[in-house]
Amino acid sequence: MRKPNEMLNFTVGPVMSSPDILAIGGEQVPYFRTQEFSDIILENEALMKEFVHAPEEAKVVFITGSGTASMEAVVMNVFTPADKLIVIDGGSFGHRFTELCDIHHIPYTSICLESGHVVTDEMLRKFDGKGYTGLLVNIHETSTGVHYNPQMLGEFCRRNDMMYVIDAISSFLADPLDMTEVGADVIITGSQKVLACAPGISIIVLSERALKRVERNETKTMYLDLKGALKNAERGQTPFTPAVGILRQINARLKHIKEDGGAIAEIAKIKAQAEDFRKKIKGLPFEIKSESMSNALTPLTPTGASAHEIFLQLKDNYGIWICPNGGELKDTLFRVGHFGALTHEDNDTLVAALKDLQKKGKI
């Protein structure tokens, strides 16, 4: 049951949390330099590796910081100015990798995509044999709602012996992703997406090849030094004070997912939520301009109204959050998320509000 006056949240982070996860957030935060807390971190690592199908030798780092902190940590620790990278730039989150490469002087070439379009094998083949050493991709470009093909990108990296970095922040446990099968060297995600915990923790899974790069590379940073993080992780600890409460929430959430059938069951649940919503909005004045959608969200382009105005109407008059956009997409695209503690009945509530706006001539 929803609490009175509780906002219904269809954004893609932070998302609706279950009552038991919220309850952990309300508890006193325990001291963390203990074996009990180390056991939580080690269990979190094991479950994360299981859910991404990581190789046995892979390691996991929990960073107290948003997904961008882990993106920057990977750019700084895995690559150097001696590298030559390809970045898939299909929206604001893919573009963030180019900004990080600029800051840290890592040479790269962008594959710039029009909004709503996927990267294709034909685009990639022109880079075969050109000496590139790595590829960075936000596998689900959350700003536009486009999901790229991780297997195709992995095959490209494999035939060119390139490091393969996947930002799966909004795709982890929403779409199938097998780290071993696609040959990914790094996978990044965060606490406030499918894990449906408070924001503040991002997670990096590193393959053996990525670990070797981290070990040999020198970085000019203290907080985002992955060498120190990995050394501390061996005993289930972090170099500095972590977001202890959120790591406890993550532990409970990962165990719930395991008990409920694991990654396959979680992905199926989110897929069903997405399909239910997409079926119910048929007939409403929206277009979906995405060549390949994730289960995580549905990108909607209104045909006769401002996307941002619809966001404001739902927020102010119906108690519903959807995900707005910024920049050039502000008035043309909004997004509806499908993970977190949401139900098909919540979809009914949102669709009813959209139909009411249509009746009032607002969309």
Side-chain angles (χ1 to χ4, degrees):
M1 292 289 293
R2 301 259 179 251
K3 296 178 181 178
N5 302 316
E6 181 181 37
M7 291 288 286
L8 184 55
N9 186 354
F10 286 91
T11 69
V12 286
V15 300
M16 304 290 286
S17 296
S18 62
D20 56 329
I21 297 300
L22 291 173
I24 294 170
E27 294 175 358
Q28 289 287 350
V29 177
Y31 183 63
F32 63 100
R33 299 298 190 198
T34 63
Q35 187 58 50
E36 289 81 3
F37 186 71
S38 291
D39 291 343
I40 286 173
I41 295 294
L42 293 170
E43 187 173 33
N44 287 352
E45 176 178 46
L47 289 169
M48 281 298 306
K49 287 176 63 174
E50 177 181 341
F51 293 159
V52 298
H53 307 281
E56 179 59 34
E57 63 275 10
K59 301 294 182 183
V60 180
V61 171
F62 297 91
I63 299 289
T64 295
S66 71
T68 303
S70 282
M71 292 169 71
E72 182 159 28
V74 169
V75 169
M76 294 173 69
N77 287 266
V78 176
F79 301 107
T80 74
D83 281 293
K84 181 181 175 185
L85 308 183
I86 293 173
V87 180
I88 308 301
D89 185 351
S92 60
F93 294 102
H95 187 68
R96 193 163 297 176
F97 268 131
T98 71
E99 296 174 304
L100 290 167
C101 288
D102 284 335
I103 290 168
H104 297 289
H105 309 290
I106 313 293
Y108 69 92
T109 299
S110 295
I111 298 180
C112 295
L113 305 170
E114 293 182 20
S115 179
H117 291 264
V118 297
V119 61
T120 66
D121 189 55
E122 183 181 3
M123 294 175 189
L124 295 171
R125 285 196 175 276
K126 68 177 68 174
F127 297 100
D128 279 342
K130 298 294 177 63
Y132 286 90
T133 58
L135 180 140
L136 306 177
V137 62
N138 176 276
I139 204 68
H140 173 225
E141 179 47 69
T142 321
S143 67
T144 62
V146 175
H147 185 254
Y148 307 124
N149 184 333
Q151 186 70 45
M152 179 192 70
L153 292 168
E155 290 169 0
F156 167 70
C157 290
R158 194 175 287 116
R159 68 178 180 256
N160 287 282
D161 193 26
M162 296 165 61
M163 297 292 295
Y164 182 18
V165 174
I166 298 178
D167 168 357
I169 290 174
S170 66
S171 182
F172 170 65
L173 291 179
D175 306 295
L177 180 59
D178 187 316
M179 184 176 185
T180 300
E181 183 179 288
V182 304
D185 292 291
V186 179
I187 290 179
I188 303 167
T189 191
S191 57
Q192 79 276 26
K193 305 293 185 177
V194 172
L195 291 179
C197 299
I201 291 288
S202 52
I203 305 165
I204 309 171
V205 186
L206 299 121
S207 73
E208 185 176 30
R209 189 162 69 149
L211 291 168
K212 288 178 179 178
R213 276 179 161 254
V214 170
E215 183 59 35
R216 73 169 184 256
N217 290 346
E218 294 296 327
T219 57
K220 293 184 178 180
T221 179
M222 177 181 287
Y223 194 75
L224 295 180
D225 177 20
L226 292 187
K227 284 193 200 65
L230 287 161
K231 185 172 181 58
N232 278 268
E234 292 175 5
R235 60 189 180 97
Q237 287 289 330
T238 57
F240 313 106
T241 304
V244 175
I246 301 172
L247 287 163
R248 293 179 67 235
Q249 288 182 321
I250 289 172
N251 184 249
R253 177 76 171 113
L254 289 172
K255 289 194 288 189
H256 290 162
I257 292 169
K258 174 78 169 178
E259 291 162 2
D260 291 341
I264 292 174
E266 188 68 19
I267 292 166
K269 182 178 73 172
I270 294 167
K271 181 180 180 181
Q273 183 73 5
E275 290 176 344
D276 178 74
F277 176 76
R278 292 165 189 171
K279 177 180 67 177
K280 288 172 177 173
I281 60 167
K282 287 182 178 178
L284 285 169
F286 302 123
E287 295 178 357
I288 296 176
K289 297 181 177 180
S290 172
E291 291 184 337
S292 176
M293 283 192 291
S294 164
N295 297 319
L297 67 84
T298 301
L300 295 174
T301 296
T303 56
S306 162
H308 193 71
E309 183 59 30
I310 293 171
F311 159 72
L312 294 175
Q313 288 283 340
L314 290 171
K315 176 176 70 74
D316 296 338
N317 299 322
Y318 297 88
I320 298 172
W321 282 314
I322 56 172
C323 218
N325 244 318
E328 61 184 24
L329 296 177
K330 177 180 177 180
D331 290 313
T332 60
L333 182 71
F334 68 86
R335 298 155 292 157
V336 175
H338 305 305
F339 47 66
L342 290 170
T343 66
H344 289 6
E345 289 73 25
D346 293 327
N347 283 344
D348 292 336
T349 301
L350 173 55
V351 172
L354 291 170
K355 288 182 176 178
D356 191 51
L357 285 174
Q358 183 185 36
K359 182 180 177 181
K360 293 175 179 178
K362 300 289 187 179
I363 60 174

